[in-house]
Amino acid sequence: MTTALITGSTAGIGAAFARRLAADGHDLVLVARDAKRLREQATELHDRHGIEAEVLPADLSEDKGIETAADRLGDRKNPVDLLINNAGFGNKGRYLEVSMADELTMLKVHCEAVLRLTSAAAEAMRERGRGGVVNVASVAAFVPRGTYGASKAWVVQFTQGAARDLAGTGVRLMVLCPGFVRTEFHQRAGMGTDNIPGWMWLDADKLVAAALTDLARGKSLSVPDPRYKALMGLVKVTPRGLLGGVTSRTGRKYGPQ
């Protein structure tokens, strides 16, 4: 039986990963800030699927929280076979409307924590000759709009580059780039979503199933839905200058308000 560590496990995509991996028989290490929600989640998954679910309260916007998770990933006696770097959030507002403190906190969680946790996991996995890491980014990484997208673009570039560097070691790295997913994400950020068309929304459980299939196939990039694959195809052939104007107008029309 293998063990998976999931950050941001109590809600949204992280919770969907926890449900799916528990159902598949994996033991879990559940990481989030809210200890009460973690304990409730661990109990439910244990009772339903008979797996062991370890609770690890940690705030990944702080060094201590990152160190706590990194230490667990580096534990050779209780190895983690799969890391899901899912923790993340969005700031409401355009560039210069968000405080610098909030922008730096987002970079801490989206970039520094991802780098440090991936490195801790990959080093231990390379020694064993097996393991996997899924870093959750966003299709926002591929369009020039906002600091959120910029942070996720870093996750994409980092993960794909690291995947190439670790090729042949038995360690698989993949970056997952979903679109709009029905989770608590936008509510927590105070963003309205009534103006987003229904066809743009994805189901978290289906997204996770597609992502795990892509990981098993050895992909380093997963865009797990035909609708968003088509959109990303258009992005690739659209001139960068034109794309910036289109995404700005589309964001004002359809993006979270």
Side-chain angles (χ1 to χ4, degrees), residues 27-79:
D27 288 336
L28 301 176
V29 181
L30 304 171
V31 181
R33 292 178 297 175
D34 191 326
K36 181 176 182 292
R37 288 186 72 179
L38 281 173
R39 289 192 295 269
E40 292 172 349
Q41 181 184 33
T43 299
E44 178 184 355
L45 294 172
H46 169 76
D47 291 349
R48 178 171 297 182
H49 302 291
I51 55 93
E52 296 300 318
E54 178 183 343
V55 167
L56 193 66
D59 185 346
L60 299 184
S61 69
E62 299 178 355
D63 283 331
K64 182 179 179 180
I66 297 174
E67 290 166 5
T68 296
D71 287 346
R72 179 62 185 86
L73 289 164
D75 186 344
R76 270 57 171 181
K77 293 182 180 179
N78 300 287

Side-chain angles (χ1 to χ4, degrees), residues 120-238:
E123 185 175 6
M125 292 171 181
R126 184 172 60 177
E127 291 176 5
R128 299 193 301 274
R130 66 183 186 279
V133 177
V134 176
N135 291 329
V136 179
S138 169
V139 293
F142 302 106
V143 294
R145 179 170 169 78
T147 54
Y148 175 83
S151 71
K152 292 302 188 180
W154 182 91
V155 176
V156 172
Q157 294 296 319
F158 161 67
T159 305
Q160 291 197 289
R164 285 191 292 270
D165 288 342
L166 292 175
T169 66
V171 182
R172 293 173 293 169
L173 271 69
M174 185 184 81
V175 60
L176 171 61
C177 296
F180 290 110
V181 185
R182 294 196 183 279
T183 68
E184 298 177 10
F185 178 90
H186 299 98
Q187 181 182 357
R188 287 183 173 184
M191 300 174 182
T193 58
D194 292 343
N195 58 334
I196 300 173
W199 68 266
M200 296 185 75
W201 289 103
L202 304 179
D203 175 79
D205 293 310
K206 293 179 180 178
L207 182 152
V208 164
L212 291 174
T213 297
D214 285 344
L215 180 67
R217 290 173 176 170
K219 292 188 176 182
S220 65
L221 171 67
S222 175
V223 181
D225 186 88
R227 292 163 289 181
Y228 281 97
K229 282 184 172 71
L231 287 175
M232 292 304 99
L234 291 174
V235 165
K236 288 181 180 179
V237 299
T238 303

